[in-house]
mmCIF file of all heavy atoms in Angstrom:
data_model
loop_
_atom_site.group_PDB
_atom_site.id
_atom_site.type_symbol
_atom_site.label_atom_id
_atom_site.label_comp_id
_atom_site.label_asym_id
_atom_site.label_seq_id
_atom_site.Cartn_x
_atom_site.Cartn_y
_atom_site.Cartn_z
ATOM 1 N N ASN A 33 2.405 1.195 17.070
ATOM 2 C CA ASN A 33 3.546 1.711 17.819
ATOM 3 C C ASN A 33 3.087 2.250 19.160
ATOM 4 O O ASN A 33 2.756 3.418 19.307
ATOM 5 C CB ASN A 33 4.218 2.841 17.046
ATOM 6 C CG ASN A 33 4.625 2.421 15.658
ATOM 7 O OD1 ASN A 33 4.919 1.251 15.422
ATOM 8 N ND2 ASN A 33 4.639 3.356 14.729
ATOM 9 N N MET A 34 3.065 1.418 20.170
ATOM 10 C CA MET A 34 2.663 1.812 21.518
ATOM 11 C C MET A 34 3.730 1.373 22.504
ATOM 12 O O MET A 34 4.397 0.353 22.300
ATOM 13 C CB MET A 34 1.323 1.169 21.898
ATOM 14 C CG MET A 34 0.146 1.646 21.065
ATOM 15 S SD MET A 34 -1.352 0.710 21.462
ATOM 16 C CE MET A 34 -2.563 1.584 20.442
ATOM 17 N N SER A 35 3.901 2.144 23.568
ATOM 18 C CA SER A 35 4.946 1.811 24.535
ATOM 19 C C SER A 35 4.649 0.492 25.241
ATOM 20 O O SER A 35 5.554 -0.207 25.672
ATOM 21 C CB SER A 35 5.121 2.937 25.554
ATOM 22 O OG SER A 35 3.906 3.231 26.192
ATOM 23 N N THR A 36 3.362 0.157 25.390
ATOM 24 C CA THR A 36 2.978 -1.149 25.931
ATOM 25 C C THR A 36 2.574 -2.048 24.773
ATOM 26 O O THR A 36 1.661 -1.726 24.026
ATOM 27 C CB THR A 36 1.805 -1.016 26.916
ATOM 28 O OG1 THR A 36 2.193 -0.161 27.982
ATOM 29 C CG2 THR A 36 1.404 -2.376 27.467
ATOM 30 N N THR A 37 3.249 -3.146 24.600
ATOM 31 C CA THR A 37 2.975 -4.036 23.482
ATOM 32 C C THR A 37 1.593 -4.665 23.605
ATOM 33 O O THR A 37 1.225 -5.175 24.666
ATOM 34 C CB THR A 37 4.031 -5.156 23.423
ATOM 35 O OG1 THR A 37 5.328 -4.566 23.357
ATOM 36 C CG2 THR A 37 3.812 -6.048 22.212
ATOM 37 N N TRP A 38 0.836 -4.656 22.518
ATOM 38 C CA TRP A 38 -0.465 -5.317 22.486
ATOM 39 C C TRP A 38 -0.245 -6.813 22.340
ATOM 40 O O TRP A 38 0.313 -7.285 21.349
ATOM 41 C CB TRP A 38 -1.310 -4.789 21.339
ATOM 42 C CG TRP A 38 -2.682 -5.405 21.289
ATOM 43 C CD1 TRP A 38 -3.097 -6.423 20.469
ATOM 44 C CD2 TRP A 38 -3.816 -5.059 22.100
ATOM 45 N NE1 TRP A 38 -4.414 -6.735 20.723
ATOM 46 C CE2 TRP A 38 -4.880 -5.906 21.719
ATOM 47 C CE3 TRP A 38 -4.031 -4.117 23.107
ATOM 48 C CZ2 TRP A 38 -6.138 -5.835 22.311
ATOM 49 C CZ3 TRP A 38 -5.285 -4.053 23.701
ATOM 50 C CH2 TRP A 38 -6.321 -4.900 23.296
ATOM 51 N N THR A 39 -0.677 -7.583 23.357
ATOM 52 C CA THR A 39 -0.458 -9.030 23.357
ATOM 53 C C THR A 39 -1.753 -9.812 23.165
ATOM 54 O O THR A 39 -1.719 -11.036 23.064
ATOM 55 C CB THR A 39 0.182 -9.470 24.684
ATOM 56 O OG1 THR A 39 -0.702 -9.145 25.762
ATOM 57 C CG2 THR A 39 1.525 -8.787 24.891
ATOM 58 N N LYS A 40 -2.887 -9.118 23.133
ATOM 59 C CA LYS A 40 -4.176 -9.790 22.970
ATOM 60 C C LYS A 40 -4.425 -10.093 21.487
ATOM 61 O O LYS A 40 -3.634 -9.751 20.622
ATOM 62 C CB LYS A 40 -5.300 -8.914 23.521
ATOM 63 C CG LYS A 40 -5.082 -8.407 24.944
ATOM 64 C CD LYS A 40 -5.040 -9.539 25.943
ATOM 65 C CE LYS A 40 -5.184 -9.044 27.380
ATOM 66 N NZ LYS A 40 -4.181 -8.076 27.795
ATOM 67 N N ALA A 41 -5.540 -10.745 21.216
ATOM 68 C CA ALA A 41 -5.899 -11.061 19.834
ATOM 69 C C ALA A 41 -6.183 -9.785 19.044
ATOM 70 O O ALA A 41 -6.551 -8.742 19.603
ATOM 71 C CB ALA A 41 -7.122 -11.967 19.805
ATOM 72 N N ALA A 42 -6.019 -9.868 17.730
ATOM 73 C CA ALA A 42 -6.339 -8.758 16.840
ATOM 74 C C ALA A 42 -7.793 -8.827 16.393
ATOM 75 O O ALA A 42 -8.429 -7.798 16.160
ATOM 76 C CB ALA A 42 -5.425 -8.772 15.619
ATOM 77 N N LEU A 43 -8.321 -10.040 16.281
ATOM 78 C CA LEU A 43 -9.702 -10.218 15.848
ATOM 79 C C LEU A 43 -10.183 -11.622 16.190
ATOM 80 O O LEU A 43 -9.407 -12.486 16.574
ATOM 81 C CB LEU A 43 -9.842 -9.956 14.339
ATOM 82 C CG LEU A 43 -8.864 -10.662 13.382
ATOM 83 C CD1 LEU A 43 -9.400 -12.034 12.977
ATOM 84 C CD2 LEU A 43 -8.634 -9.825 12.148
ATOM 85 N N ARG A 44 -11.476 -11.820 16.074
ATOM 86 C CA ARG A 44 -12.062 -13.143 16.190
ATOM 87 C C ARG A 44 -12.655 -13.504 14.838
ATOM 88 O O ARG A 44 -13.319 -12.678 14.204
ATOM 89 C CB ARG A 44 -13.147 -13.199 17.260
ATOM 90 C CG ARG A 44 -13.583 -14.637 17.569
ATOM 91 C CD ARG A 44 -14.721 -14.694 18.566
ATOM 92 N NE ARG A 44 -14.950 -16.055 19.023
ATOM 93 C CZ ARG A 44 -16.123 -16.519 19.432
ATOM 94 N NH1 ARG A 44 -17.182 -15.717 19.462
ATOM 95 N NH2 ARG A 44 -16.263 -17.759 19.846
ATOM 96 N N ALA A 45 -12.406 -14.724 14.394
ATOM 97 C CA ALA A 45 -12.799 -15.138 13.060
ATOM 98 C C ALA A 45 -13.633 -16.408 13.098
ATOM 99 O O ALA A 45 -13.662 -17.124 14.102
ATOM 100 C CB ALA A 45 -11.550 -15.365 12.198
ATOM 101 N N SER A 46 -14.301 -16.670 11.999
ATOM 102 C CA SER A 46 -15.052 -17.921 11.849
ATOM 103 C C SER A 46 -14.833 -18.443 10.442
ATOM 104 O O SER A 46 -14.536 -17.676 9.515
ATOM 105 C CB SER A 46 -16.546 -17.693 12.095
ATOM 106 O OG SER A 46 -17.113 -16.922 11.055
ATOM 107 N N ILE A 47 -14.976 -19.754 10.280
ATOM 108 C CA ILE A 47 -14.923 -20.359 8.954
ATOM 109 C C ILE A 47 -16.341 -20.395 8.408
ATOM 110 O O ILE A 47 -17.249 -20.925 9.053
ATOM 111 C CB ILE A 47 -14.311 -21.768 9.002
ATOM 112 C CG1 ILE A 47 -12.879 -21.692 9.539
ATOM 113 C CG2 ILE A 47 -14.327 -22.411 7.609
ATOM 114 C CD1 ILE A 47 -12.212 -23.041 9.713
ATOM 115 N N GLU A 48 -16.539 -19.803 7.262
ATOM 116 C CA GLU A 48 -17.877 -19.653 6.691
ATOM 117 C C GLU A 48 -18.595 -20.994 6.571
ATOM 118 O O GLU A 48 -18.010 -22.001 6.174
ATOM 119 C CB GLU A 48 -17.786 -18.997 5.307
ATOM 120 C CG GLU A 48 -19.121 -18.613 4.714
ATOM 121 C CD GLU A 48 -18.968 -17.885 3.391
ATOM 122 O OE1 GLU A 48 -18.152 -18.334 2.562
ATOM 123 O OE2 GLU A 48 -19.652 -16.864 3.189
ATOM 124 N N GLY A 49 -19.860 -20.998 6.968
ATOM 125 C CA GLY A 49 -20.674 -22.200 6.852
ATOM 126 C C GLY A 49 -20.459 -23.205 7.962
ATOM 127 O O GLY A 49 -21.006 -24.322 7.901
ATOM 128 N N THR A 50 -19.679 -22.835 8.970
ATOM 129 C CA THR A 50 -19.427 -23.745 10.092
ATOM 130 C C THR A 50 -19.627 -22.987 11.403
ATOM 131 O O THR A 50 -19.837 -21.777 11.418
ATOM 132 C CB THR A 50 -17.989 -24.291 10.062
ATOM 133 O OG1 THR A 50 -17.081 -23.245 10.467
ATOM 134 C CG2 THR A 50 -17.603 -24.769 8.665
ATOM 135 N N ASN A 51 -19.534 -23.713 12.505
ATOM 136 C CA ASN A 51 -19.573 -23.094 13.827
ATOM 137 C C ASN A 51 -18.183 -22.918 14.416
ATOM 138 O O ASN A 51 -18.032 -22.664 15.605
ATOM 139 C CB ASN A 51 -20.428 -23.943 14.776
ATOM 140 C CG ASN A 51 -21.892 -23.924 14.393
ATOM 141 O OD1 ASN A 51 -22.418 -22.873 14.026
ATOM 142 N ND2 ASN A 51 -22.547 -25.081 14.474
ATOM 143 N N LYS A 52 -17.154 -23.049 13.581
ATOM 144 C CA LYS A 52 -15.781 -22.945 14.060
ATOM 145 C C LYS A 52 -15.409 -21.485 14.276
ATOM 146 O O LYS A 52 -15.565 -20.653 13.385
ATOM 147 C CB LYS A 52 -14.824 -23.595 13.059
ATOM 148 C CG LYS A 52 -15.034 -25.096 12.893
ATOM 149 C CD LYS A 52 -14.062 -25.669 11.883
ATOM 150 C CE LYS A 52 -14.264 -27.180 11.726
ATOM 151 N NZ LYS A 52 -13.332 -27.754 10.720
ATOM 152 N N ARG A 53 -14.933 -21.170 15.475
ATOM 153 C CA ARG A 53 -14.548 -19.819 15.848
ATOM 154 C C ARG A 53 -13.168 -19.850 16.501
ATOM 155 O O ARG A 53 -12.865 -20.726 17.301
ATOM 156 C CB ARG A 53 -15.536 -19.213 16.853
ATOM 157 C CG ARG A 53 -16.982 -19.218 16.414
ATOM 158 C CD ARG A 53 -17.298 -18.051 15.501
ATOM 159 N NE ARG A 53 -18.719 -17.901 15.284
ATOM 160 C CZ ARG A 53 -19.418 -18.554 14.357
ATOM 161 N NH1 ARG A 53 -18.803 -19.430 13.588
ATOM 162 N NH2 ARG A 53 -20.713 -18.342 14.221
ATOM 163 N N LYS A 54 -12.345 -18.868 16.180
ATOM 164 C CA LYS A 54 -11.039 -18.725 16.832
ATOM 165 C C LYS A 54 -10.667 -17.245 16.910
ATOM 166 O O LYS A 54 -11.038 -16.446 16.049
ATOM 167 C CB LYS A 54 -9.938 -19.458 16.028
ATOM 168 C CG LYS A 54 -10.012 -20.972 16.052
ATOM 169 C CD LYS A 54 -9.601 -21.567 17.404
ATOM 170 C CE LYS A 54 -9.581 -23.090 17.354
ATOM 171 N NZ LYS A 54 -9.228 -23.683 18.666
ATOM 172 N N TYR A 55 -9.917 -16.896 17.953
ATOM 173 C CA TYR A 55 -9.269 -15.589 18.020
ATOM 174 C C TYR A 55 -7.955 -15.670 17.256
ATOM 175 O O TYR A 55 -7.258 -16.693 17.307
ATOM 176 C CB TYR A 55 -9.031 -15.177 19.463
ATOM 177 C CG TYR A 55 -10.292 -14.716 20.163
ATOM 178 C CD1 TYR A 55 -11.073 -15.622 20.884
ATOM 179 C CD2 TYR A 55 -10.702 -13.387 20.102
ATOM 180 C CE1 TYR A 55 -12.235 -15.196 21.525
ATOM 181 C CE2 TYR A 55 -11.865 -12.962 20.738
ATOM 182 C CZ TYR A 55 -12.627 -13.874 21.442
ATOM 183 O OH TYR A 55 -13.780 -13.462 22.064
ATOM 184 N N VAL A 56 -7.609 -14.595 16.566
ATOM 185 C CA VAL A 56 -6.401 -14.560 15.739
ATOM 186 C C VAL A 56 -5.449 -13.517 16.309
ATOM 187 O O VAL A 56 -5.838 -12.368 16.556
ATOM 188 C CB VAL A 56 -6.747 -14.215 14.278
ATOM 189 C CG1 VAL A 56 -5.483 -14.211 13.416
ATOM 190 C CG2 VAL A 56 -7.778 -15.199 13.719
ATOM 191 N N PHE A 57 -4.198 -13.912 16.506
ATOM 192 C CA PHE A 57 -3.193 -13.048 17.109
ATOM 193 C C PHE A 57 -2.210 -12.546 16.055
ATOM 194 O O PHE A 57 -2.105 -13.112 14.966
ATOM 195 C CB PHE A 57 -2.436 -13.816 18.203
ATOM 196 C CG PHE A 57 -3.286 -14.183 19.391
ATOM 197 C CD1 PHE A 57 -4.201 -15.243 19.321
ATOM 198 C CD2 PHE A 57 -3.190 -13.468 20.575
ATOM 199 C CE1 PHE A 57 -4.989 -15.571 20.406
ATOM 200 C CE2 PHE A 57 -3.974 -13.798 21.672
ATOM 201 C CZ PHE A 57 -4.883 -14.848 21.586
ATOM 202 N N PHE A 58 -1.465 -11.484 16.397
ATOM 203 C CA PHE A 58 -0.399 -11.025 15.512
ATOM 204 C C PHE A 58 0.703 -12.076 15.473
ATOM 205 O O PHE A 58 0.990 -12.737 16.474
ATOM 206 C CB PHE A 58 0.186 -9.699 16.012
ATOM 207 C CG PHE A 58 -0.774 -8.540 15.920
ATOM 208 C CD1 PHE A 58 -1.141 -7.834 17.048
ATOM 209 C CD2 PHE A 58 -1.306 -8.162 14.702
ATOM 210 C CE1 PHE A 58 -2.016 -6.764 16.968
ATOM 211 C CE2 PHE A 58 -2.191 -7.096 14.606
ATOM 212 C CZ PHE A 58 -2.542 -6.392 15.736
ATOM 213 N N ASP A 59 1.341 -12.216 14.311
ATOM 214 C CA ASP A 59 2.454 -13.156 14.204
ATOM 215 C C ASP A 59 3.708 -12.529 14.809
ATOM 216 O O ASP A 59 3.679 -11.440 15.386
ATOM 217 C CB ASP A 59 2.661 -13.597 12.751
ATOM 218 C CG ASP A 59 3.138 -12.462 11.837
ATOM 219 O OD1 ASP A 59 3.540 -11.390 12.349
ATOM 220 O OD2 ASP A 59 3.104 -12.650 10.605
ATOM 221 N N THR A 60 4.839 -13.206 14.690
ATOM 222 C CA THR A 60 6.079 -12.715 15.308
ATOM 223 C C THR A 60 6.593 -11.450 14.642
ATOM 224 O O THR A 60 7.474 -10.767 15.187
ATOM 225 C CB THR A 60 7.168 -13.794 15.261
ATOM 226 O OG1 THR A 60 7.358 -14.223 13.903
ATOM 227 C CG2 THR A 60 6.781 -14.985 16.129
ATOM 228 N N ASN A 61 6.074 -11.119 13.467
ATOM 229 C CA ASN A 61 6.429 -9.871 12.796
ATOM 230 C C ASN A 61 5.439 -8.752 13.097
ATOM 231 O O ASN A 61 5.549 -7.657 12.556
ATOM 232 C CB ASN A 61 6.522 -10.079 11.286
ATOM 233 C CG ASN A 61 7.692 -10.950 10.892
ATOM 234 O OD1 ASN A 61 8.794 -10.771 11.405
ATOM 235 N ND2 ASN A 61 7.449 -11.905 10.009
ATOM 236 N N GLY A 62 4.440 -9.039 13.940
ATOM 237 C CA GLY A 62 3.507 -8.002 14.339
ATOM 238 C C GLY A 62 2.396 -7.727 13.363
ATOM 239 O O GLY A 62 1.824 -6.629 13.357
ATOM 240 N N VAL A 63 2.060 -8.706 12.526
ATOM 241 C CA VAL A 63 0.944 -8.540 11.587
ATOM 242 C C VAL A 63 0.062 -9.787 11.629
ATOM 243 O O VAL A 63 0.459 -10.826 12.161
ATOM 244 C CB VAL A 63 1.427 -8.307 10.141
ATOM 245 C CG1 VAL A 63 2.225 -7.020 10.033
ATOM 246 C CG2 VAL A 63 2.252 -9.494 9.636
ATOM 247 N N VAL A 64 -1.132 -9.673 11.080
ATOM 248 C CA VAL A 64 -1.985 -10.854 10.901
ATOM 249 C C VAL A 64 -1.560 -11.531 9.606
ATOM 250 O O VAL A 64 -1.528 -10.914 8.541
ATOM 251 C CB VAL A 64 -3.467 -10.459 10.849
ATOM 252 C CG1 VAL A 64 -4.317 -11.663 10.428
ATOM 253 C CG2 VAL A 64 -3.920 -9.935 12.200
ATOM 254 N N SER A 65 -1.195 -12.795 9.701
ATOM 255 C CA SER A 65 -0.731 -13.552 8.533
ATOM 256 C C SER A 65 -1.140 -15.008 8.704
ATOM 257 O O SER A 65 -1.697 -15.398 9.737
ATOM 258 C CB SER A 65 0.786 -13.453 8.392
ATOM 259 O OG SER A 65 1.433 -14.246 9.377
ATOM 260 N N LEU A 66 -0.823 -15.826 7.721
ATOM 261 C CA LEU A 66 -1.105 -17.255 7.829
ATOM 262 C C LEU A 66 -0.314 -17.896 8.959
ATOM 263 O O LEU A 66 -0.678 -18.971 9.444
ATOM 264 C CB LEU A 66 -0.801 -17.954 6.501
ATOM 265 C CG LEU A 66 -1.698 -17.569 5.321
ATOM 266 C CD1 LEU A 66 -1.238 -18.280 4.052
ATOM 267 C CD2 LEU A 66 -3.149 -17.895 5.621
ATOM 268 N N SER A 67 0.759 -17.231 9.387
ATOM 269 C CA SER A 67 1.568 -17.740 10.498
ATOM 270 C C SER A 67 1.043 -17.297 11.849
ATOM 271 O O SER A 67 1.586 -17.702 12.894
ATOM 272 C CB SER A 67 3.025 -17.283 10.343
ATOM 273 O OG SER A 67 3.590 -17.785 9.149
ATOM 274 N N SER A 68 0.016 -16.455 11.876
ATOM 275 C CA SER A 68 -0.572 -16.031 13.144
ATOM 276 C C SER A 68 -1.081 -17.239 13.912
ATOM 277 O O SER A 68 -1.642 -18.172 13.323
ATOM 278 C CB SER A 68 -1.727 -15.067 12.891
ATOM 279 O OG SER A 68 -1.275 -13.832 12.394
ATOM 280 N N LEU A 69 -0.918 -17.218 15.224
ATOM 281 C CA LEU A 69 -1.474 -18.268 16.054
ATOM 282 C C LEU A 69 -2.925 -17.942 16.366
ATOM 283 O O LEU A 69 -3.339 -16.782 16.372
ATOM 284 C CB LEU A 69 -0.670 -18.410 17.346
ATOM 285 C CG LEU A 69 0.809 -18.772 17.173
ATOM 286 C CD1 LEU A 69 1.488 -18.872 18.532
ATOM 287 C CD2 LEU A 69 0.981 -20.061 16.379
ATOM 288 N N VAL A 70 -3.714 -18.971 16.617
ATOM 289 C CA VAL A 70 -5.125 -18.801 16.962
ATOM 290 C C VAL A 70 -5.370 -19.367 18.348
ATOM 291 O O VAL A 70 -4.564 -20.135 18.873
ATOM 292 C CB VAL A 70 -6.044 -19.493 15.923
ATOM 293 C CG1 VAL A 70 -5.865 -18.867 14.555
ATOM 294 C CG2 VAL A 70 -5.767 -20.999 15.866
ATOM 295 N N GLY A 71 -6.484 -18.980 18.958
ATOM 296 C CA GLY A 71 -6.806 -19.461 20.294
ATOM 297 C C GLY A 71 -8.286 -19.385 20.577
ATOM 298 O O GLY A 71 -9.050 -18.790 19.793
ATOM 299 N N ASP A 72 -8.687 -19.967 21.685
ATOM 300 C CA ASP A 72 -10.102 -20.011 22.054
ATOM 301 C C ASP A 72 -10.545 -18.796 22.859
ATOM 302 O O ASP A 72 -11.735 -18.593 23.071
ATOM 303 C CB ASP A 72 -10.400 -21.294 22.843
ATOM 304 C CG ASP A 72 -10.257 -22.541 21.992
ATOM 305 O OD1 ASP A 72 -10.588 -22.465 20.786
ATOM 306 O OD2 ASP A 72 -9.817 -23.576 22.523
#
Side-chain angles (χ1 to χ4, degrees):
N33 305 331
M34 294 174 175
S35 56
T36 300
T37 304
W38 182 260
T39 61
K40 308 296 195 302
L43 50 88
R44 191 184 190 208
S46 69
I47 299 176
E48 188 176 44
T50 74
N51 292 319
K52 296 180 179 179
R53 305 278 191 275
K54 290 288 185 182
Y55 285 92
V56 181
F57 294 76
F58 293 121
D59 67 12
T60 55
N61 292 316
V63 297
V64 171
S65 74
L66 294 177
S67 299
S68 291
L69 300 180
V70 298
D72 293 325

